[in-house]
Amino acid sequence: MSQSPYDVAIIGAGIVGASCADEFARRGMSVIILDRDGIGSGATAAGMGHIVVMDDSEAQFALTRYSQQLWRALRPELPADVEYEECGTIWVAADEEEMVEVWRKHDYYAKRGVPTEVLDWKRFQQMEPNVRDGMAGGLLVPQDGVLYPPCAARFLIERAQKRGANLRLGASVAQIARGEVRLSDGSNVSTKIIVNAAGCFAPELTAGIEIKKRKGHLVITDRYPGFLRHQLVELGYLKSAHSVSSDSVAFNVQPRRTGQILIGSSRQYGAEHKEVDHDILTRMLLRAQEFIPTLGPMSAVRTWTGFRAATPDKLPLIGPWPGDNSVFLASGHEGLGITTSLATARILVDQITGSKPEIPIEPYLPSRAGKEFANA
Ligand SMILES: Cc1cc2nc3c(=O)[nH]c(=O)nc-3n(C[C@H](O)[C@H](O)[C@H](O)COP(=O)(O)OP(=O)(O)OC[C@H]3O[C@@H](n4cnc5c(N)ncnc54)[C@H](O)[C@@H]3O)c2cc1C
C-alpha cells in the first residue's frame, strides 16, 4: 500500500539524518524520517561528541569549521541534556618534533581565522595539572567543544517534528529507488527525494557506495569533577586516524559535564562484531595512562564499541547519487559525523533547493569516486 507522497524521506535518525530532517523542515519541505531502531541509536550513540576543527585536507577543514560555527550559533537553543560545553581541545605535543606540528597547525588555523594558542609546558601544566611531566607543550583550540550526541539528535528531530516532520521508528527499510521507499513489512512510502543517511549501513540500500565499518572503543569513568578541563588529544592521533589498514589506538580524553572522563580511542577495520576486544581496549587504556598516569586507579562505569562509516578518501558523501536522480547520500562521516552533521544538512539542502552553499561542495559529491559509482 502506498502512502501519501512526501517531499523528502530520510533513512536514518542518527545525527546526520536528524540534522537533514531539521534543515529540510526549516526550508518548508514535507519530511518523513524512517529508522529501524530509535533516534541516535547507531554510531551517534557510540560517538564521543567532540566538536572539532580538523585540517587533514582543505575540504575537511572547510566542513568541520563551517559545522562548528553552526553548532556554536545553535548553542543558545540547545537544551541542557545536550551538554554542549565549549571546553576547547588541547593537542598534546610529547616532544619537540611534535611542537613543530603544533606551530604548523597554529599557522594554518590563524590564516583561516580560527583562534588558537601555543602552550609551552609550564602553561600547559597550569591548565591540565594531571598530565604527566615531561611533555613539550600543546596547541589550545578554544572554540572546539563537546556535546552528548543522542540528545542532540533528539533535539533536532523534535524541532523538525514541530515544523511538521513525521517520524517512524521501528521502520526497517529494505529498498530505495526512484522515489519509492520499500519497507521490510512490504509497505511503501512515496517521495520526491530519498536521503540515505543510514551511516555504515548506507551501502545496503545503495549498492556501490564505498563505505567500510571502522570499529572504535570508548570507556567512561566514574565522576571526578575538575580532574580534566579540556578535550586532550595526542598529536599522534592524526597518524592513527590516517592509518588505512592496521588497528590503532591514540590518547583522546574528554571531560563530561558530570565530572566523568570519556576515554578513547581505537580504530579497527575488519572487526564486524560489537563485542569489546580486550586486547585493543588494554592498548587504548595503557596509551591513555602514558599521558595521565592517575587514570589507572580510576573506576570505569561502562565500556562500549561503535562503528564509524569510513570512505576511502576520508570525506563524507553528500549529494546526488549518480545512479538514481531521486536518491541523495548523506553518509560516510567516519569519526567526524557529530561535528559535521549540521553543515552536511545545509549543503545537501542547498544543492536540492538551488541555494548557494557557504562552502564548495565538490569534494563531498558522491560522483567524485568516478565511474564505478555511476555504473553501480
Ligand atoms: C567510537 C567513536 C567515537 C566517535 N567520536 C566522534 C567525535 O568525537 N566527534 C564526531 O564528530 N564524531 C565522532 N564519531 C563519529 C560519529 O559518531 C558518526 O560519524 C555519526 O554518529 C554518524 O551519524 P549518522 O547519522 O551518519 O549514522 P548513525 O548514527 O549510525 O545513524 C544511522 C541510522 O540509520 C538507521 N538505519 C540503518 N539502516 C537502516 C535501514 N535499512 N532502515 C531503517 N533505518 C536504518 C540506524 O538504525 C541508525 O539509527 C565517533 C564514532 C565512533 C564509533
Side-chain angles (χ1 to χ4, degrees), residues 11-17 34-38 41-44 46-50 171-173 197-199 201 205 216-218 306-308 333-339:
I11 321 304
I15 193 82
V16 173
L34 301 153
D35 198 297
R36 62 185 170 199
D37 204 333
S41 56
T44 298
M48 233 182 171
H50 188 199
S172 178
V173 173
F201 301 100
L205 297 174
H217 289 69
L218 291 174
F307 294 93
R308 306 173 182 91
H333 292 74
E334 220 268 6
L336 286 170
I338 311 299
T339 303

Side-chain angles (χ1 to χ4, degrees), residues 10-18 34-52 149 168 170-175 184 196-202 204-205 214-218 231 237 252 254 262 265-267 304-309 330-341:
I10 297 169
I11 321 304
I15 193 82
V16 173
L34 301 153
D35 198 297
R36 62 185 170 199
D37 204 333
I39 296 173
S41 56
T44 298
M48 233 182 171
H50 188 199
I51 304 298
V52 56
R168 278 179 64 187
S172 178
V173 173
Q175 210 182 353
S184 303
N196 182 348
C200 58
F201 301 100
E204 291 178 6
L205 297 174
R214 206 170 186 197
K215 186 173 178 179
H217 289 69
L218 291 174
Q231 177 114 10
Y237 173 88
N252 186 351
Q254 178 180 99
L262 185 51
S265 63
S266 67
R267 281 181 151 80
W304 69 92
T305 67
F307 294 93
R308 306 173 182 91
S331 39
H333 292 74
E334 220 268 6
L336 286 170
I338 311 299
T339 303
T340 57
S341 53

Side-chain angles (χ1 to χ4, degrees), residues 255-266:
R256 302 297 319 176
R257 189 178 279 178
T258 52
Q260 291 172 287
I261 298 160
L262 185 51
I263 306 172
S265 63
S266 67

Side-chain angles (χ1 to χ4, degrees), residues 50-72 84 91 105 108-109 112 114 141 143-145 314-316 318 333 335-344 347 359-360 364:
H50 188 199
I51 304 298
V52 56
V53 174
M54 297 280 283
D55 63 341
D56 288 359
S57 62
E58 285 296 337
Q60 189 192 59
F61 173 80
L63 195 66
T64 53
R65 179 61 174 161
Y66 177 33
S67 212
Q68 184 184 68
Q69 285 169 324
L70 294 171
W71 278 115
R72 295 184 81 223
Y84 191 108
W91 292 93
K105 251 174 139 43
Y108 182 94
Y109 286 174
R112 289 158 184 80
V114 181
V141 187
Q143 291 183 354
D144 283 356
K314 310 267 177 346
L315 291 172
I318 308 168
H333 292 74
L336 286 170
I338 311 299
T339 303
T340 57
S341 53
L342 296 182
T344 294
I347 64 175
I359 58 171
Y364 324 108

